[in-house]
Amino acid sequence: MNNDYLEYYGEHSISPVRQDISNIALHYERRKKVYRQCGIPLLAFRNAELLEIGAGGGYNTLAFFHWNVMHVDIVEANPQGIADMQKLFTEQKIPEDKYNIFGNKIEDFNIDKKYDIVIAEGFLPYIYNQREVINKLQGLTASGGIVVITCSDNVCMFIESMKRLIGISLVSTIDSFSEKVNYLSELFEPQLKKLRGVSRSAKDWIQDQILNPAGVNGMELSLLQAIEYFEKEFDILGSSPHMFTDYSWYKDIWYDYKKEYKEQFLKKRLNLLQANAPERILSIQQSDSLTEHFVSIKNLAAKYEKTLEIDFINKIIEELGFVQKLAKRFLDDKFNNILQEIVQLLCCIQRNEEVVMENYPQFFGAFGRTQQYISFVKNIE
């Protein structure tokens, strides 16, 4: 089955997932926080047999070695990612007997082995055969073992999808891939620097978030979908960011916490719209009414990207008008200001006017909570 990520990376010989590890202790602290939020103490990694799928350049894998795993099997189908990873491991003096790298897709990975921990980070929301791959991950997990995956959906990606839309329109007359990357990097780098904790370069972010065709292939994987995929045989450990609360009595073993978590997600999913925003809890009906428009906008943006027909911009502006009416009732003023600036920017594109991002400070500094982690533990047989 086609994999938009791998085809794109292969076409341009890139692996745009490099991390700034100049302060490697800080890098390890970032990874530690992710797993703490997911309910996984560092002790769980000690002497663990670990499988990581889609490790890219291996930057996050370094934390597992630091936490004294027994061994890591790495499945990475991108040749450039493998080359970057081998170089990094050599530079960091990682012993070769601590890992194996398998240069194929997880669908084609066959091994007579079960793993204590399975990590699949960054790619699942954008592949067409999610069910097949998740079944494979579940089958590779040992009894009592842990699976960690990442999720992303049309709500959490809204702000980034609007940045993508504007970026694509600005480079529509540029043919060279490298020139597109350089132009957009200069435009977006000041924004990325305003987001505290960013560890990826503007160039890599542009290649992966703005120009990557997987971003508009119609796929998503929400936390709700992930819970449904892991409905049987697995319990939920935690998520990053924390989305769920469980006030049930510990003796109430009949409490259906997965059903409760799914309902909570439907009420809380708008919290993923904007990084650093305070929590808001809506009714499911309110949440659904906004989500429907974000889905429509994402679909229209994908059509614009394929055709560059200005009529799709007009339709997006119309959809944003509906969002603004709802947002005034349900969301905060800051997000409404971001919406207003998005409309103003798109009107500039309509009129073929120059776009100066600094004139739109709310949108300029805004980012969504674009990736969520969720962890599961396989029930002991």
Side-chain angles (χ1 to χ4, degrees):
M1 181 172 288
N2 291 346
N3 185 308
D4 293 334
Y5 258 108
L6 293 176
E7 291 175 12
Y8 169 67
Y9 287 177
E11 179 185 357
H12 298 289
S13 298
I14 57 174
S15 179
V17 292
R18 292 169 293 184
Q19 300 287 315
D20 178 4
I21 57 170
S22 56
N23 183 342
I24 199 162
L26 182 61
H27 176 66
Y28 292 151
E29 284 297 313
R30 287 193 292 262
R31 303 310 298 170
K32 177 182 175 181
K33 180 177 180 182
V34 165
Y35 292 111
R36 177 181 62 77
Q37 289 183 309
C38 286
I40 307 171
L42 298 191
L43 181 64
F45 292 94
R46 188 181 303 170
N47 296 322
E49 287 282 350
L50 190 144
L51 173 66
E52 184 177 16
I53 303 98
Y59 292 88
N60 293 338
T61 317
L62 292 177
F64 305 139
F65 299 127
H66 183 66
W67 298 333
N68 297 313
V69 294
M70 177 72 72
H71 189 269
V72 182
D73 282 342
I74 301 164
V75 177
E76 175 53 65
N78 178 16
Q80 187 59 54
I82 292 174
D84 291 350
M85 192 185 321
Q86 290 172 329
K87 181 175 182 290
L88 178 68
F89 290 175
T90 299
E91 291 172 348
Q92 296 295 319
K93 298 180 172 56
I94 305 300
E96 292 184 2
D97 63 354
K98 295 292 289 184
Y99 64 91
N100 288 322
I101 300 174
F102 299 87
N104 46 253
K105 295 193 292 185
I106 185 62
E107 300 94 310
D108 304 320
F109 176 66
N110 295 298
I111 194 168
D112 186 20
K113 187 176 182 180
K114 303 288 186 180
Y115 294 90
D116 301 310
I117 301 175
V118 176
I119 309 287
E121 184 173 347
F123 68 95
L124 278 172
Y126 307 102
I127 60 174
Y128 300 107
N129 57 335
Q130 288 173 358
R131 176 75 271 181
E132 176 190 359
V133 170
I134 288 175
N135 285 343
K136 188 71 175 278
L137 303 183
Q138 292 172 343
L140 288 165
T141 306
S143 178
I146 295 168
V147 182
V148 182
I149 66 172
T150 53
C151 299
S152 188
D153 62 24
N154 291 309
V155 172
C156 73
M157 288 300 297
F158 169 70
I159 290 175
E160 275 67 16
S161 69
M162 293 297 93
K163 292 188 177 186
R164 178 186 180 113
L165 174 64
I166 290 159
I168 291 295
S169 70
L170 294 177
V171 297
S172 60
T173 60
I174 300 175
D175 294 326
S176 166
F177 179 74
S178 61
E179 288 181 16
K180 288 181 179 181
V181 171
N182 291 335
Y183 178 87
L184 292 174
S185 295
E186 187 174 332
L187 181 70
F188 285 105
E189 186 171 29
Q191 302 181 43
L192 291 167
K193 286 183 176 179
K194 289 180 179 291
L195 185 61
R196 186 180 182 187
V198 166
S199 58
R200 189 158 54 154
S201 71
K203 180 178 179 181
D204 279 9
W205 186 82
I206 293 298
Q207 290 176 335
D208 215 26
Q209 295 292 326
I210 304 296
L211 299 178
N212 187 345
V216 289
N217 69 2
M219 298 301 296
E220 67 171 350
L221 177 61
S222 70
L223 286 167
L224 173 63
Q225 291 169 301
I227 293 171
E228 291 175 341
Y229 279 143
F230 284 84
E231 198 76 69
K232 298 178 181 179
E233 298 185 58
F234 287 83
D235 284 325
I236 302 167
L237 282 177
S239 69
S240 175
H242 281 306
M243 289 283 289
F244 310 111
T245 55
D246 181 351
Y247 290 109
S248 66
W249 185 33
Y250 76 94
K251 291 185 179 181
D252 184 4
I253 59 175
W254 303 274
Y255 175 72
D256 190 347
Y257 79 97
K258 288 182 182 177
K259 178 182 177 182
E260 174 65 23
Y261 281 13
K262 287 188 281 188
E263 291 181 2
Q264 285 186 35
F265 174 78
L266 293 174
K267 296 176 181 178
K268 296 179 180 180
R269 68 183 307 174
L270 273 297
N271 292 302
L272 302 176
L273 265 175
Q274 187 182 344
N276 302 317
E279 184 179 46
R280 58 175 72 88
I281 300 176
L282 307 181
S283 70
I284 293 177
Q285 183 179 6
Q286 292 168 338
S287 179
D288 284 349
S289 62
L290 278 160
T291 299
E292 288 174 6
H293 290 294
F294 292 130
V295 173
S296 296
I297 289 168
K298 185 77 175 289
N299 292 337
L300 289 167
K303 291 176 181 178
Y304 171 78
E305 189 167 324
K306 291 176 182 176
T307 65
L308 297 178
E309 293 180 6
I310 200 67
D311 186 51
F312 290 116
I313 298 291
N314 302 337
K315 291 178 179 177
I316 290 170
I317 293 173
E318 183 179 350
E319 283 287 331
L320 286 168
F322 297 130
V323 173
Q324 286 177 298
K325 290 178 182 178
L326 291 170
K328 286 178 182 177
R329 295 168 55 195
F330 306 142
L331 305 181
D332 56 32
D333 290 340
K334 187 173 182 179
F335 187 74
N336 279 289
N337 291 336
I338 292 169
L339 286 173
Q340 184 60 42
E341 290 187 359
I342 292 171
V343 171
Q344 291 169 359
L345 272 163
L346 293 178
C347 288
C348 282
I349 292 171
Q350 267 186 326
R351 298 188 293 265
N352 198 29
E353 296 175 354
E354 181 183 4
V355 171
V356 181
M357 289 294 285
E358 289 86 347
N359 292 341
Y360 309 94
Q362 300 296 320
F363 179 59
F364 188 83
F367 292 89
R369 291 183 168 112
T370 56
Q371 180 169 265
Q372 306 91 51
Y373 291 74
I374 187 167
S375 59
F376 302 89
V377 60
K378 192 170 188 177
N379 296 327
I380 296 175
E381 297 172 355

Tab-separated table of all heavy atoms in Angstrom, residues 29 83 147 174 203 268 282 365 373:
chain	number	residue	atom	x	y	z
A	29	GLU	N	15.216	15.243	29.265
A	29	GLU	CA	14.129	15.703	30.133
A	29	GLU	C	12.825	15.828	29.357
A	29	GLU	O	11.746	15.523	29.882
A	29	GLU	CB	14.495	17.047	30.766
A	29	GLU	CG	15.490	16.942	31.907
A	29	GLU	CD	14.955	16.144	33.079
A	29	GLU	OE1	13.803	16.394	33.491
A	29	GLU	OE2	15.680	15.257	33.569
A	83	ALA	N	20.630	6.385	7.369
A	83	ALA	CA	21.977	6.974	7.265
A	83	ALA	C	22.214	7.984	8.386
A	83	ALA	O	23.281	7.989	9.023
A	83	ALA	CB	22.154	7.637	5.897
A	147	VAL	N	2.497	-0.265	24.718
A	147	VAL	CA	2.528	0.338	23.381
A	147	VAL	C	2.308	1.838	23.524
A	147	VAL	O	1.390	2.268	24.240
A	147	VAL	CB	1.435	-0.235	22.457
A	147	VAL	CG1	1.533	0.390	21.063
A	147	VAL	CG2	1.533	-1.749	22.357
A	174	ILE	N	6.851	28.924	-7.460
A	174	ILE	CA	8.239	28.464	-7.349
A	174	ILE	C	8.286	26.976	-7.672
A	174	ILE	O	7.550	26.177	-7.086
A	174	ILE	CB	8.802	28.712	-5.930
A	174	ILE	CG1	8.756	30.207	-5.602
A	174	ILE	CG2	10.224	28.183	-5.804
A	174	ILE	CD1	9.174	30.539	-4.174
A	203	LYS	N	13.749	24.646	8.796
A	203	LYS	CA	13.840	23.950	7.510
A	203	LYS	C	13.172	22.580	7.586
A	203	LYS	O	12.381	22.212	6.714
A	203	LYS	CB	15.306	23.796	7.103
A	203	LYS	CG	15.510	23.084	5.776
A	203	LYS	CD	16.981	23.015	5.412
A	203	LYS	CE	17.180	22.278	4.095
A	203	LYS	NZ	18.620	22.185	3.724
A	268	LYS	N	-13.660	17.613	25.285
A	268	LYS	CA	-12.417	18.343	25.540
A	268	LYS	C	-11.551	18.552	24.304
A	268	LYS	O	-10.526	19.228	24.373
A	268	LYS	CB	-11.584	17.596	26.586
A	268	LYS	CG	-12.210	17.486	27.963
A	268	LYS	CD	-11.293	16.711	28.906
A	268	LYS	CE	-11.867	16.570	30.289
A	268	LYS	NZ	-10.948	15.818	31.193
A	282	LEU	N	-16.687	21.709	26.525
A	282	LEU	CA	-17.938	22.024	25.850
A	282	LEU	C	-18.872	20.830	25.922
A	282	LEU	O	-18.470	19.735	26.326
A	282	LEU	CB	-17.663	22.371	24.381
A	282	LEU	CG	-16.616	23.457	24.093
A	282	LEU	CD1	-16.503	23.666	22.596
A	282	LEU	CD2	-16.989	24.762	24.779
A	365	GLY	N	2.108	33.996	16.137
A	365	GLY	CA	2.647	33.297	17.297
A	365	GLY	C	1.843	32.104	17.751
A	365	GLY	O	2.155	31.512	18.784
A	373	TYR	N	0.359	11.919	22.513
A	373	TYR	CA	0.824	10.563	22.793
A	373	TYR	C	-0.226	9.859	23.639
A	373	TYR	O	-0.854	10.468	24.510
A	373	TYR	CB	2.134	10.589	23.583
A	373	TYR	CG	3.335	11.078	22.823
A	373	TYR	CD1	3.498	12.429	22.529
A	373	TYR	CD2	4.324	10.190	22.402
A	373	TYR	CE1	4.605	12.889	21.838
A	373	TYR	CE2	5.445	10.640	21.721
A	373	TYR	CZ	5.579	11.993	21.439
A	373	TYR	OH	6.679	12.450	20.758
